[in-house]
Amino acid sequence: QPTINPSSNLELCDDDSNDGFEEFDLSEQTPIILGTQSATDFTVTYHLSFADADSGDNVLPLTYTNTENPQPIYVRVESLLDSGCYNASAAALFDLVVNTRAIASPPEDMEVCDDVSNDGQASFDLSTQEAAILDGQSGTIFDVSFHNSQDDANSNVGALSSTSTLSTQTVYARVEDPLHPDCYGTTSFEVIVNPLPELFTVTALQVCDDDTDEFVGFPLSDKEPDFVNGQADVVVSFHETPADAMAGVGALSDGYVNTNPVNQTIHVRLENTITNCYNINTLDLEVLANPLANGTTPLEVCDDDADGFAEFDLSLKDAEVIGTQTDMSVTYYLNETNALGGNSPLPISYTNETAYAQEIYARIANNLTGCSAITTLQLIVNPKPTTIAVTAYELCDDNNPGDEEEVFDLNTKTAEILDGQVNVDVSYYASPADAEAEVNAITSAYTNLSNPQPIIAVLTNTLTGCSSTVGFDLIVNPLPILVVPTALEVCDDGTPDGITEMDLSLKNGEITNYNPAYSVSYYETAAEAISESNPLPVLYT
């Protein structure tokens, strides 16, 4: 009679459905059951009951899916030469057992922000993923381990500590029942170390003090590009305290007025809008003093062509605007708006646009800080004294006749030259060069050097300093040549009294030597002739 050797249960791990049914290869048990008996002499069949095994009915296929779990299997060993020679197991020889498959459910990825080192590594508590991985499976039955690779998870080697410092990577989780370690499951998830926004050194935000109280509104948004420095998805907010910056509360608005005079440090939160990771920087606020724009006296020039317009050298007022301040520059503007903004400065050589008087603006700026202040400047075009045609100053060559030199008192021409103008002085010069240079003015009686001699008169307004010039000649006229006439004889009129009418003009031609340039007048005495007083009538008795 054949022998039925004992065999252990045939066990399989369930699939992920964990329905308790799997396909078994019963032939795996045949060599064990036969033992030393030859497979060429005996055959082994498998049955669900002793009755079937004993009768040889309802033989199970060698590839068989269990119908219950566990499922008892009965065995019949029969001689191939004699079917009546067999042996059937009265009790189930072994069970078909489907062990529960451990299920590893994929959890959410783990994301953390890097620490202040921003080195790409962070500490992760992997144990917080266990509940999601087990997804309802009992933590008292199933163990969860974490690994750096799929191979390590499959082999259950190199398990990570539940609290591990990791870079951004894939972590593999293994779930198993220690009683059935082959029935494990694996899954994976990402651990992600999000970098903090990078910090850059940003220069202080400097604003010029507009009212010398050391408090100003700061355009904080002007510094945002410097803090971001091209980083994508990073927003900036400004806070008074580090605590507010870290909590992301109490953001300061643009135009924030410092609460500490002159200098104050505020705190800057840079936050990535995708990861919500943030970093904290600082920003120094500095209130810069404005320079002083000193008041100006008018800039006056003289009108060359009496049209009210002239060219001004505006730089002549730089020193007055600056005063004793250093590292300053001055520019000039047509209006207050341009001056405040520093837009469209006027050329240094500037011709006024409003006749005679115009107000412009001077802007003083600190070359180091750019802070500025403005003041007004009056441009004034002063008229020059008016001139008229001046008659020649003529004298007779009385002193040493024939030398054509005489002493002229030029002051006698002043009233004519002024022609009624007031606040105007007149000075005299022997040459245009002296007049232009205002040197060698004639201040006393003057003897001409030539005949005729040009003289330059300079008219200067005593209030504005503007001057004009006009010329006239000094002329020394020669004395007439005296011709002693013959006596004028007439016949008595019949009254022997020696008195009769004479026509004195009859002697004119003889006296003047018939020179038409001369005129002749007659006097009774030499004194009267010299003083040109009481001239005699031409028809003289």
Side-chain angles (χ1 to χ4, degrees), residues 182-341:
D182 291 337
C183 298
Y184 68 90
T186 64
T187 188
S188 65
F189 58 93
E190 299 297 317
V191 292
I192 300 170
V193 182
N194 289 314
L196 304 184
E198 191 173 353
L199 300 183
F200 297 93
T201 300
V202 176
T203 58
L205 178 56
Q206 299 177 322
V207 176
C208 302
D209 194 353
D210 54 0
D211 55 10
T212 70
D213 67 350
E214 300 180 340
F215 295 92
V216 297
F218 286 85
L220 303 179
S221 61
D222 288 357
K223 284 293 183 179
E224 289 183 11
D226 295 339
F227 284 105
V228 174
N229 199 22
Q231 299 175 87
D233 305 313
V234 173
V235 295
V236 177
S237 58
F238 301 89
H239 307 264
E240 280 192 337
T241 66
D244 283 354
M246 288 187 287
V249 298
L252 304 177
S253 59
D254 222 21
Y256 168 73
V257 177
N258 54 305
T259 56
N260 294 330
V262 183
N263 296 306
Q264 181 175 343
T265 299
I266 62 173
H267 303 271
V268 185
R269 177 186 176 100
L270 291 87
E271 181 173 339
N272 187 295
T273 57
I274 305 299
T275 65
N276 296 322
C277 295
Y278 69 89
N279 214 343
I280 305 299
N281 208 336
T282 58
L283 173 63
D284 291 330
L285 306 180
E286 295 182 5
V287 180
L288 302 177
N290 275 335
L292 173 64
N294 291 298
T296 60
T297 56
L299 180 57
E300 301 184 47
V301 297
C302 300
D303 194 351
D304 290 329
D305 51 12
D307 64 354
F309 298 95
E311 186 176 90
F312 291 83
D313 180 0
L314 302 181
S315 66
L316 295 175
K317 286 295 176 178
D318 288 0
E320 192 171 334
V321 175
I322 293 172
T324 59
Q325 301 168 97
T326 58
D327 291 318
M328 301 289 168
S329 58
V330 180
T331 46
Y332 299 87
Y333 299 85
L334 191 62
N335 54 57
E336 184 178 17
T337 300
N338 287 353
L340 290 172

Side-chain angles (χ1 to χ4, degrees), residues 17-35:
S17 68
N18 267 340
D19 59 2
F21 302 103
E22 285 295 326
E23 187 179 80
F24 289 85
D25 181 3
L26 300 178
S27 66
E28 293 179 4
Q29 297 286 66
T30 298
I32 299 171
I33 294 169
L34 287 177

Side-chain angles (χ1 to χ4, degrees), residues 340-362:
L340 290 172
N343 302 317
S344 303
L346 298 176
I348 295 302
S349 295
Y350 173 68
T351 300
N352 57 306
E353 299 175 25
T354 302
Y356 295 106
Q358 180 179 338
E359 182 179 76
I360 63 171
Y361 289 81

Side-chain angles (χ1 to χ4, degrees), residues 212-515:
T212 70
D213 67 350
E214 300 180 340
F215 295 92
V216 297
F218 286 85
L220 303 179
S221 61
D222 288 357
K223 284 293 183 179
E224 289 183 11
D226 295 339
F227 284 105
V228 174
N229 199 22
Q231 299 175 87
D233 305 313
V234 173
V235 295
V236 177
S237 58
F238 301 89
H239 307 264
E240 280 192 337
T241 66
D244 283 354
M246 288 187 287
V249 298
L252 304 177
S253 59
D254 222 21
Y256 168 73
V257 177
N258 54 305
T259 56
N260 294 330
V262 183
N263 296 306
Q264 181 175 343
T265 299
I266 62 173
H267 303 271
V268 185
R269 177 186 176 100
L270 291 87
E271 181 173 339
N272 187 295
T273 57
I274 305 299
T275 65
N276 296 322
C277 295
Y278 69 89
N279 214 343
I280 305 299
N281 208 336
T282 58
L283 173 63
D284 291 330
L285 306 180
E286 295 182 5
V287 180
L288 302 177
N290 275 335
L292 173 64
N294 291 298
T296 60
T297 56
L299 180 57
E300 301 184 47
V301 297
C302 300
D303 194 351
D304 290 329
D305 51 12
D307 64 354
F309 298 95
E311 186 176 90
F312 291 83
D313 180 0
L314 302 181
S315 66
L316 295 175
K317 286 295 176 178
D318 288 0
E320 192 171 334
V321 175
I322 293 172
T324 59
Q325 301 168 97
T326 58
D327 291 318
M328 301 289 168
S329 58
V330 180
T331 46
Y332 299 87
Y333 299 85
L334 191 62
N335 54 57
E336 184 178 17
T337 300
N338 287 353
L340 290 172
N343 302 317
S344 303
L346 298 176
I348 295 302
S349 295
Y350 173 68
T351 300
N352 57 306
E353 299 175 25
T354 302
Y356 295 106
Q358 180 179 338
E359 182 179 76
I360 63 171
Y361 289 81
R363 181 178 192 264
I364 181 174
N366 186 305
N367 296 328
L368 303 178
T369 67
C371 292
S372 62
I374 65 171
T375 188
T376 57
L377 172 61
Q378 295 292 329
L379 304 181
I380 296 176
V381 180
N382 291 312
K384 291 185 175 183
T386 58
T387 58
I388 60 172
V390 180
T391 60
Y393 186 0
E394 299 185 50
L395 292 178
C396 295
D397 193 4
D398 291 323
N399 182 25
N400 194 18
D403 65 357
E404 298 186 20
E405 291 180 0
E406 289 295 325
V407 177
F408 291 82
D409 181 2
L410 299 181
N411 291 329
T412 61
K413 298 296 285 184
T414 298
E416 177 187 356
I417 292 170
L418 288 177
D419 193 30
Q421 296 177 88
V422 295
N423 299 319
V424 177
D425 286 342
V426 179
S427 52
Y428 300 93
Y429 300 88
S431 70
D434 286 353
E436 184 175 356
E438 297 184 10
V439 296
N440 303 320
I442 299 170
T443 57
S444 58
Y446 179 71
T447 300
N448 62 301
L449 303 176
S450 62
N451 188 31
Q453 179 178 346
I455 292 295
I456 307 300
V458 177
L459 295 79
T460 302
N461 187 301
T462 57
L463 302 179
T464 67
C466 294
S467 61
S468 302
T469 61
V470 66
F472 61 93
D473 287 337
L474 303 181
I475 298 175
V476 177
N477 291 313
L479 298 178
I481 297 174
L482 295 178
V483 176
V484 178
T486 59
L488 176 60
E489 298 181 41
V490 296
C491 296
D492 199 346
D493 58 1
T495 59
D497 56 2
I499 298 173
T500 188
E501 183 179 73
M502 294 184 177
D503 182 1
L504 300 179
S505 66
L506 294 176
K507 284 296 180 178
N508 287 355
E510 184 179 353
I511 293 171
T512 63
N513 200 23
Y514 300 97
N515 187 336

